[in-house]
Amino acid sequence: MRQPDIVSLAVISDRHTCALPDRDGTISWYCPGAFDQPAVFSSLIDEEKGGYWDINAEGKNFVTRRFDGRSSVLYTTFSVPNGEFHLTDFMPLH
């Protein structure tokens, strides 16, 4: 896992904490529950010890991404050899 370029990061949040997905569909930072809790995914800080979550497919290429209006629901589209697929990232408000 390589660290993402800062310009490729987006923020999804539930107003208590956040996660940082990049254009490849990888979440490299996430502290569940609250911002001051220990991080579950922290490869943004430490590539070797920090964890991450990713989605992968053979021949996957980034096409576009956008937020749904003013929400933190993030839609990302990827192309693959036989078509495309869509990834939806969000954190439910509680």
Side-chain angles (χ1 to χ4, degrees):
M1 159 80 200
R2 63 156 187 72
Q3 290 183 323
D5 294 331
I6 194 78
V7 298
S8 77
L9 296 173
V11 176
I12 56 173
S13 176
D14 65 1
R15 298 183 187 158
H16 297 280
T17 191
C18 72
L20 302 177
D22 67 18
R23 288 174 27 147
D24 289 331
T26 300
I27 295 178
S28 56
W29 179 263
Y30 173 55
C31 293
F35 287 106
D36 60 352
Q37 296 298 311
V40 172
F41 305 132
S42 60
S43 62
L44 185 65
I45 303 300
D46 188 328
E47 291 179 58
E48 295 177 23
K49 294 181 183 177
Y52 62 93
W53 180 92
D54 71 348
I55 187 162
N56 213 340
E58 191 171 325
K60 175 186 86 169
N61 290 302
F62 171 79
V63 175
T64 188
R65 75 174 170 188
R66 67 177 179 82
F67 283 100
D68 184 15
R70 296 186 63 208
S71 75
S72 67
V73 177
L74 179 65
Y75 301 113
T76 307
T77 301
F78 298 96
S79 66
V80 290
N82 294 326
E84 62 183 29
F85 69 93
H86 308 277
L87 176 64
T88 304
D89 288 302
F90 70 98
M91 296 174 72
L93 300 177
H94 38 77

